Amino acid sequence: MRITSPDSRRRWLLALAWALLCALMLALQWWQAHAQQQREQFQLTQIVQRQMLEKVAQHKAHLTALTAVAPLQATEESSALSRVAQSIKTIYPRIQEIQLVTPATPATGSCLVPAVAQAAAPLQARASTSLPDEQHAGDYLFIKKVASPSDWLCVRIHSAQLLDEQTLPANSGLRIRLNGHALLEPPPPLRQVRVFGQFTLAGYDQPLEVQLLTRPHNLLSWSMVLISVLLSTLLVGTANLIWKSRQQARRHQQRAQLLANEAQLAHASRVNGMGEMASGIAHELAQPVTALLSQSQAALRAHELGKPELLTTALQANVREARRAGAILERMRGYISNAPSQPQRLDLPQAVNQALLLLDGPARQAGIALRWQTPVQPCWVWADPVSLEQVLNNLVRNALDALSHAATPDANIEITLRTDAKQALLTVQDNGPGVDAATAQRMFEPFFTTKTDGMGLGLPLCATLMERMGGNLEYVHSPRGACFVMHLPLASDDDF
Ligand code: ADP
């Protein structure tokens, strides 16, 4: 499986973290419950052992007491033993039978079984032993040799009552064995279950082997599982929220940093632009100012020499240079100023005719044909007449420059007009050397020029003026020469 987006990767990580947290919590709870169960079972085993030890000690004590009164049985107080035995049986219901077996009083019931005689026979005087009762399931016989070789005391004990009621919890049971024989087995559902405690009662001549059993139950309750799931969800959800808010804060910080960088950059580029502009102005104005100085000096000289014709020539040159300086400053102002143009509804062919009046002379002088067929139909556009003339003038002058330096045969500049649904497209195409790729990429940048006396503000100014009129200026790659297209919005009849 491929996880691609950072979002889905985060979702997978969250799900994994949630599952791990859940598992960890459940494992922790299980371990705690298990340890608690172990503690409880250990304590229960100790309680059971203490109770049973107490009981078997009592049996030993009863037999000792009975041994003391047994000799009276054969003499006058024949009922003394039976009275003591009776009171023992009444107080301790687990003791089912007590008998003194002598040749004179043969045993009855369980104590008559030959196995009992067989077990008692090898005993030393006052020694005791135990054996399972074959006639009564769950009982065992505790036998003590009294005096003569054939006398012994026999007590039958019900093993199920060796433990107080209510000692064991409901899901636990007890197994008791004596000499390998089962005295007590737990009820059927508990047979297959786990032994959690066992011991053998050493001493008191009743070597009972005891096992405590329990039915394993689920250590994890549904409520625990639910709590774990809820807690994990809460933790993972909170962690996710914290992570998200940190991410957001980091993004805000980055954005703020970016904005600060952009502001710094804009400031730097403004400073840079101003620097470039200042050096452009200085460079452009240097020439006319130098010319003004030298022509003024020449005029002074002519005046001193009394040569009015030289004075006139020098002053005329001064006027020309001053005009040139003024034109440069005017262009700069036009480019820098943010003044909105004032477009009006005008007939584009007429505006082109007007602009070309000024350009016809220079074209003729350079021997370049200026081709323009005035359309018969008017073409109404929204444009500022002064800006339009400035743009057209600049484009034609650039074409004239390119053609005069290239000495192209049949040099010409062709101006054509066409329209589409929304705009008029005025094309200025020349058959000069054209624009190479590097120049085409940069020629709309302010101060970019390939001319030695160029200022590099013509095209940027044209583009700005066109945009202010709601149109634009585009350079179109052409197989011959350079081709510029002016786009202007058409004016409808309703625009009067
Ligand atoms: P300038 O005329 O002062 O160089 P412009 O912004 O008007 O500034 O023109 C920038 C540059 O674009 C020119 O230097 C020239 O390399 C190129 N260019 C503009 N018009 C033409 C043209 N018709 N043919 C060839 N190159 C041109």
Side-chain angles (χ1 to χ4, degrees), residues 38-341:
Q38 295 256 306
R39 258 196 312 279
E40 284 173 6
Q41 288 177 343
F42 177 72
Q43 285 168 357
L44 187 63
T45 309
Q46 282 191 322
I47 291 169
V48 171
Q49 190 172 8
R50 208 167 35 243
Q51 277 191 23
M52 291 183 75
L53 204 62
E54 225 170 73
K55 303 274 172 21
V56 296
Q58 282 172 355
H59 302 156
K60 184 83 173 174
H62 294 329
L63 269 190
T64 309
L66 287 166
T67 312
V69 293
L72 300 176
Q73 175 83 357
T75 59
E76 80 281 11
E77 291 296 337
S78 61
S79 60
L81 180 71
S82 32
R83 275 208 310 278
V84 175
Q86 191 52 48
S87 61
I88 289 174
K89 282 200 289 184
T90 314
I91 297 167
Y92 304 102
R94 67 181 178 277
I95 297 180
Q96 308 285 310
E97 259 181 77
I98 299 175
Q99 276 193 38
L100 177 67
V101 184
T102 62
T105 56
T108 56
S110 295
C111 299
L112 184 64
V113 175
V116 179
Q118 219 175 352
L123 290 175
Q124 298 289 319
R126 297 189 182 280
S128 50
T129 189
S130 308
L131 73 157
D133 182 0
E134 287 170 5
Q135 291 185 347
H136 299 92
D139 292 0
Y140 72 95
L141 302 170
F142 187 28
I143 306 157
K144 183 168 182 172
K145 195 81 167 195
V146 181
S148 65
S150 56
D151 291 359
W152 67 83
L153 263 167
C154 174
V155 178
R156 178 159 67 89
I157 302 155
H158 192 48
S159 62
Q161 285 174 298
L162 286 172
L163 196 65
D164 295 346
E165 268 180 53
Q166 315 290 340
T167 305
L168 287 180
N171 61 345
S172 305
L174 203 61
R175 174 179 287 147
I176 303 177
R177 289 170 186 268
L178 180 63
N179 304 335
H181 288 84
L183 287 182
L184 186 71
E185 280 292 329
L190 281 174
R191 288 250 168 97
Q192 304 299 322
V193 297
R194 191 172 65 83
V195 174
F196 67 85
Q198 57 185 357
F199 54 86
T200 303
L201 295 172
Y204 306 111
D205 301 324
Q206 298 154 78
L208 298 169
E209 295 155 34
V210 182
Q211 282 187 338
L212 287 146
L213 304 105
T214 185
R215 192 182 312 126
H217 61 276
N218 206 349
L219 288 174
L220 288 178
S221 62
W222 280 113
S223 59
M224 280 178 175
V225 174
L226 198 72
I227 287 172
S228 300
V229 168
L230 286 178
L231 216 64
S232 313
T233 313
L234 198 75
L235 283 174
V236 171
T238 313
N240 186 30
L241 278 180
I242 292 173
W243 183 84
K244 266 187 179 171
S245 71
R246 279 199 181 166
Q247 284 288 101
Q248 213 167 9
R250 198 176 308 149
R251 269 203 296 276
H252 280 316
Q253 208 178 346
Q254 281 172 350
R255 205 173 303 145
Q257 184 66 42
L258 209 69
L259 285 176
N261 289 351
E262 269 176 14
Q264 262 180 353
L265 212 67
H267 178 71
S269 93
R270 266 202 307 277
V271 170
N272 202 24
M274 277 171 68
E276 274 185 31
M277 196 164 282
S279 76
I281 295 169
H283 179 260
E284 285 303 307
L285 288 181
Q287 218 182 335
V289 169
T290 313
L292 271 172
L293 180 69
S294 60
Q295 291 299 335
S296 300
Q297 283 168 340
L300 275 174
R301 191 114 175 89
H303 174 66
E304 282 164 11
L305 293 173
K307 292 186 175 174
E309 68 286 356
L310 279 181
L311 181 64
T312 311
T313 316
L315 286 176
Q316 278 171 345
N318 265 2
V319 170
R320 231 181 11 254
E321 292 305 327
R323 278 206 181 118
R324 193 175 154 206
I328 291 168
L329 289 173
E330 185 55 34
R331 270 192 186 189
M332 295 293 304
R333 202 167 64 82
Y335 177 66
I336 297 164
S337 105
N338 230 355
S341 71

Side-chain angles (χ1 to χ4, degrees), residues 331 394-395 398-399 401-402 430 433-435 439 443 448-451 453-460 482 484:
R331 270 192 186 189
N394 201 63
L395 294 178
N398 273 348
D401 278 354
D430 64 57
V435 179
T439 305
M443 65 187 171
F448 175 82
T449 180
T450 56
K451 300 172 194 169
D453 59 343
M455 197 176 162
L457 276 176
L459 287 180
F484 291 87

Side-chain angles (χ1 to χ4, degrees), residues 361-374:
R364 232 181 262 276
Q365 267 179 13
I368 297 162
L370 194 56
R371 294 180 188 157
W372 160 245
Q373 280 282 318
T374 312

Side-chain angles (χ1 to χ4, degrees), residues 352 356 370-373 396 413-417 426-428:
V352 174
L356 293 186
L370 194 56
R371 294 180 188 157
W372 160 245
Q373 280 282 318
V396 173
I413 302 165
E414 195 167 357
I415 299 167
T416 49
L417 175 65
L426 192 67
T427 305
V428 179

